[in-house]
Amino acid sequence: MSPLVQLLSGVVQGSGIDPVAFVIFIDGLAKLLESHGIKRKIFADDVKIYLSMQNANCAAMLQVALNTISDWAREWQLSISIH
């Protein structure tokens, strides 16, 4: 068994409410991205964002989305893996 540690961020694992707790937890990020017009796919702990690049403004919108994800993760004390 693993030793007990204090949970500083994230969602507790191993209980019956894990899926619901995670959906509630990640919903804030989904709504932030939606407010910027960014399409996203969220599955388990993966988030993919995409946007049809029509002009230079679209690249700026995508950068806003990346900044939004970074800010959200920092606020919730989560690290981001790019792999």
Side-chain angles (χ1 to χ4, degrees):
M1 288 185 73
S2 301
L4 294 176
V5 296
Q6 183 179 4
L7 180 65
L8 301 175
S9 66
V11 176
V12 177
Q13 296 180 2
S15 72
I17 64 166
D18 288 350
V20 174
F22 183 74
V23 168
I24 292 168
F25 183 75
I26 200 77
D27 188 57
L29 177 60
K31 287 180 179 174
L32 281 171
L33 292 172
E34 184 179 342
S35 73
H36 292 293
I38 301 296
K39 295 178 182 159
R40 75 265 177 235
K41 299 285 185 185
I42 299 174
F43 178 77
D45 61 352
D46 292 327
V47 177
K48 293 184 181 187
I49 60 173
Y50 58 97
L51 182 67
S52 176
M53 302 301 271
Q54 304 294 325
N55 54 46
N57 187 43
C58 293
M61 286 177 58
L62 194 56
Q63 185 61 55
V64 167
L66 294 172
N67 294 345
T68 298
I69 292 170
S70 177
D71 293 344
W72 181 87
R74 189 173 20 266
E75 178 182 344
W76 288 98
Q77 302 173 9
L78 298 172
S79 58
I80 296 175
S81 173
I82 58 172
H83 302 284

